């Protein structure tokens, strides 16, 4: 036996559309308010300290939590141990093959060279 269905179905769920539309409008308004607050941040010219370096090196000291890490690390290798006596090229300078970058000194190596020179002189005086 067939029964007649008397319930009607809504073709457009208006409550859902109103709720979703309200949430969308609230989201857009929130984003717009946040963006306008960020872009309005400014600093007055009197609160910024500016200066021009007249003579000498301009050094910048950075104090912040964390560690400063260089993008590229290039090691300078030497065949002997030594102490850096002079730095001839500063970081960032353009160098080519054969250019001196630093001067190394090694007292033990200098002593050995002097001893070998004395031995050579002694041997040449014997002949």
């Amino acid at each position: 036996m067939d029964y007649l269905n008397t319930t009607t179905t809504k073709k457009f769920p208006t409550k859902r559309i109103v709720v979703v539309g309200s949430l969308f409008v609230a989201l857009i308004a929130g984003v717009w308010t946040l963006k306008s607050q960020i872009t309005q941040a400014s600093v007055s010219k009197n609160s910024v300290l500016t200066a021009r370096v007249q003579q000498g090196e301009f050094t910048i000291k950075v104090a912040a939590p964390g560690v400063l890490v260089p993008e590229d690390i290039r090691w300078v290798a030497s065949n002997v141990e030594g102490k850096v006596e002079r730095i001839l090229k500063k970081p960032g300078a353009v160098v080519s093959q054969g250019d001196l970058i630093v001067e190394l000194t090694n007292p033990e190596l200098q002593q050995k060279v002097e001893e070998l020179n004395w031995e050579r002189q002694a041997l040449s005086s014997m002949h």
Side-chain angles (χ1 to χ4, degrees):
M1 177 178 217
D2 290 337
Y3 290 104
L4 183 60
N5 189 2
T6 59
T7 59
T8 60
T9 59
K10 294 182 181 179
K11 293 191 179 203
F12 295 106
T14 53
K15 273 189 176 180
R16 285 186 185 171
I17 291 175
V18 170
V19 170
V20 170
S22 299
L23 288 175
F24 182 72
V25 169
L27 179 69
I28 296 296
V31 169
W32 181 73
T33 304
L34 183 64
K35 187 176 178 183
S36 66
Q37 287 177 356
I38 291 172
T39 57
Q40 290 177 359
S42 63
V43 177
S44 67
K45 188 174 183 180
N46 296 335
S47 66
V48 177
L49 195 62
T50 59
R52 181 174 291 172
V53 177
Q54 299 295 327
Q55 182 178 5
E57 290 188 18
F58 180 68
T59 58
I60 299 174
K61 294 184 181 179
V62 177
V67 178
L68 291 175
V69 180
E71 290 180 10
D72 291 331
I73 298 176
R74 296 185 184 174
W75 293 98
V76 177
S78 174
N79 294 336
V80 294
E81 293 182 16
K83 174 183 156 191
V84 175
E85 193 68 32
R86 280 187 352 177
I87 299 174
L88 302 172
K89 299 286 185 181
K90 297 285 184 181
V94 177
V95 294
S96 59
Q97 185 175 2
D99 288 351
L100 288 178
I101 300 172
V102 294
E103 276 185 14
L104 300 175
T105 58
N106 185 339
E108 294 172 9
L109 190 60
Q110 289 174 345
Q111 180 67 29
K112 192 155 194 134
V113 168
E114 287 180 24
E115 288 173 3
L116 289 172
N117 281 334
W118 292 335
E119 285 181 24
R120 184 181 54 85
Q121 288 175 359
L123 288 174
S124 65
S125 64
M126 290 172 60
H127 290 286

